[in-house]
Amino acid sequence: MPSLQTNADEIEISVATAYLEKHSEPENNRFAFSYTITIENKSTEAAQLISRHWIITDANNAVQEVKGMGVIGEQPRIPPGESYTYSSGSILETQAGTMEGSYQMQTDSGEGFNVAIPTFMLTTPRSLH
């Protein structure tokens, strides 16, 4: 019987970001960003997102680590060939920064694995030259 194994290579992460000018206060070093993440399951087995770990670094190299269960209050189960999309946000004290991290996931058969979230930029318009 062939093994139905999901691994990190079969989970694809894509990210779109935006600067939230109306929620930012540059005069107070408060820069708000949103990010929308799509998690696509390209494997033959369903996988559930159990928890997350973020590393957020601003332009001053100040690092915040965020760990928690699920995303936006959910622990989505993603069937084979399907995807899950959610939006969230982050506040930085600088006009630019990066986010990276990992999702801790589990197959229906109980096998746990980590999926790396590739580094992505958070920037205000015209902050990069």
Side-chain angles (χ1 to χ4, degrees):
M1 182 174 185
S3 170
L4 299 178
Q5 185 173 5
T6 299
N7 63 48
D9 295 336
E10 296 172 320
I11 304 292
E12 186 173 296
I13 308 290
S14 56
V15 182
T17 64
Y19 173 59
L20 303 176
E21 187 172 3
K22 291 181 180 177
H23 297 282
S24 297
E25 299 170 3
E27 65 280 3
N28 294 321
N29 294 322
R30 179 183 163 89
F31 299 89
F33 299 91
S34 70
Y35 55 90
T36 298
I37 295 189
T38 299
I39 305 164
E40 186 176 357
N41 184 353
K42 294 186 170 189
S43 78
T44 57
E45 188 174 359
Q48 183 175 14
L49 191 158
I50 304 299
S51 60
R52 70 192 183 286
H53 176 206
W54 285 110
I55 300 169
I56 307 163
T57 307
D58 72 15
N60 294 328
N61 284 324
V63 176
Q64 302 174 55
E65 279 198 65
V66 178
K67 294 181 180 183
M69 299 305 289
V71 290
I72 62 166
E74 299 178 1
Q75 290 181 313
R77 180 181 176 275
I78 308 167
E82 295 191 21
S83 62
Y84 174 81
T85 300
Y86 74 97
S87 295
S88 191
S90 186
I91 305 289
L92 298 181
E93 292 184 2
T94 60
Q95 294 182 26
T98 61
M99 287 183 67
E100 64 185 299
S102 62
Y103 294 124
Q104 293 67 53
M105 300 188 77
Q106 184 174 306
T107 63
D108 281 354
S109 61
E111 181 181 338
F113 61 100
N114 288 329
V115 177
I117 304 166
T119 303
F120 58 92
M121 295 288 301
L122 300 172
T123 61
T124 62
R126 299 172 298 282
S127 67
L128 295 179
H129 304 288

